[in-house]
Amino acid sequence: MATTPLSVSGERVLPGLCAAAVGTAIALALNLALPSVSALTAAVVLGVLVGGALPASTRPGLGWATKKLLRLGVVLLGLQLGLADVAGLGFTTVLAVVATVLLGFAGTLLLGRLVGVSPGLALMVATGFSICGASAIAAMDSVTRTEKEDVATGVTLVTLYGSGAIALVPLLGDRLGLRGPALGTWAGLSVHEVAQVVAAASPAGASAVAIAVVVKLTRVVLLAPMVAGVGMVRRRRGVATGERPPLVPLFVVGFLAMIAVRSSGVLPAFVLSAGQTLTTVMFAAALFGLGSAVRLGALLRTGRRGLLLGALSTVLVGLVGLGALAVSGGL
């Protein structure tokens, strides 16, 4: 049977896309009612809760949404940051960002081995905690064969510990004497999701929030080389199995291209705002589809080890960020 725009291997995707649309709408509504609840988190949790009850006819469409909308969302994510914003931070702060991401990522992978979680969960936690939360986890999953339960657990842990950081970062920052831009920089270096960064930096004022967001989005830029690097490792390992993933995934190229477009200054503010909203919608739909493939029994088996890894990774990224800030002269 011929494949049409609304079919995958001859199976209709429309029922699954409708289910993803409804799940996304509910997740966005929950985020509006409770701003502290990320729409992405709400989407993946909803998917996990209702996935077992959805008819089999929705599976092709939900799988399509998970793969395609996720990659489109990563591409549009590039519109949120211009190179001028990064340059405005200064060389030492950018170096602090790079050090925090690399050391946080590598350190979390090592901690995952020590704690005894699966390699897939360790990779998801390392990616989400060191770079940019749920969106980074979803992007990394697209170039790996990670179990869906590990992906969903990673998103859950990012939400749990990132929410805790909203209260802890200002509290600890006050004890450490961090004020204004210094606290904002630390929040941008160490907190997981963009919304969580804003909430954590807000007690220090508008200037702290402004620099926190730019620092955080600079971490987002590193999503591209990290995903591409993991993709290259998988490509080399795929020689023995016949699998040859692209050297650099096309959606990573698109992500970098959108950063270049944003940096050119040709797009008006309303287009950038619409792009940000569309990015959230696409990620929410993709994560709803991902969550729908998860079964709670397998998800719960990670138990205490997953919680321990999340706690250790949060502490690691926070300490590395603080150390990088001190070395760069930001304290």
Side-chain angles (χ1 to χ4, degrees):
M1 183 181 295
T3 300
T4 69
L6 285 179
S7 65
V8 177
S9 300
E11 296 182 275
R12 301 286 293 179
V13 303
L14 189 57
L17 292 180
C18 289
V22 172
T24 300
I26 295 173
L28 293 173
L30 286 172
N31 174 247
L32 287 175
L34 299 169
S36 60
V37 178
S38 163
L40 305 189
T41 300
V44 74
V45 171
L46 282 170
V48 170
L49 292 177
V50 306
L54 293 174
S57 61
T58 63
R59 291 174 189 166
L62 289 171
W64 187 92
T66 300
K67 183 176 180 180
K68 301 297 185 181
L69 296 185
L70 166 64
R71 297 185 176 195
L72 287 173
V74 172
V75 171
L76 290 178
L77 188 63
L79 290 177
Q80 295 188 25
L81 184 67
L83 294 177
D85 298 322
V86 176
L89 292 175
F91 176 76
T92 55
T93 302
V94 172
L95 193 60
V97 171
V98 174
T100 301
V101 169
L102 293 180
L103 292 175
F105 183 84
T108 301
L109 289 179
L110 177 59
L111 288 170
R113 291 183 181 181
L114 295 175
V115 170
V117 302
S118 67
L121 179 57
L123 177 61
M124 294 300 104
V125 172
T127 304
F129 283 46
S130 67
I131 305 177
C132 58
S135 54
I137 289 173
M140 186 62 78
D141 176 55
S142 70
V143 297
T144 63
R145 282 191 170 184
T146 307
E147 294 292 333
K148 298 309 176 188
E149 288 77 13
D150 287 341
V151 179
T153 300
V155 173
T156 302
L157 292 173
V158 157
T159 303
L160 176 63
Y161 288 104
S163 298
I166 292 173
L168 285 176
V169 165
L171 177 63
L172 294 175
D174 184 64
R175 298 286 180 87
L176 295 169
L178 298 180
R179 302 286 186 275
L183 179 66
T185 303
W186 188 40
L189 286 170
S190 58
V191 183
H192 311 322
E193 296 273 3
V194 175
Q196 295 164 351
V197 167
V198 171
S202 58
S207 62
V209 172
I211 193 169
V213 170
V214 176
V215 170
K216 176 61 182 176
L217 290 178
T218 304
R219 286 168 68 191
V220 174
V221 172
L222 296 178
L223 174 64
M226 296 298 280
V227 170
V230 172
M232 290 175 67
V233 171
R234 284 182 52 80
R235 188 173 187 270
R236 290 175 180 175
R237 291 178 178 175
V239 172
T241 62
E243 297 178 5
R244 297 285 288 182
L247 186 61
V248 178
L250 186 60
F251 71 91
V252 172
V253 176
F255 171 78
L256 296 174
M258 289 300 101
I259 292 178
V261 171
R262 168 65 184 265
S263 301
S264 71
V266 299
L267 296 180
F270 77 90
V271 173
L272 297 176
S273 178
Q276 185 173 1
T277 301
L278 186 57
T279 300
T280 300
V281 170
M282 286 185 172
F283 274 134
L287 288 172
F288 177 83
L290 185 151
S292 70
V294 172
R295 295 300 172 258
L296 278 173
L299 179 61
L300 293 174
R301 281 197 289 271
T302 58
R304 296 177 182 177
R305 292 182 179 182
L307 289 170
L308 178 58
L309 177 60
L312 292 174
S313 181
T314 297
V315 171
L316 172 65
V317 173
L319 289 177
V320 171
L322 190 63
L325 186 59
V327 171
S328 67
L331 290 182

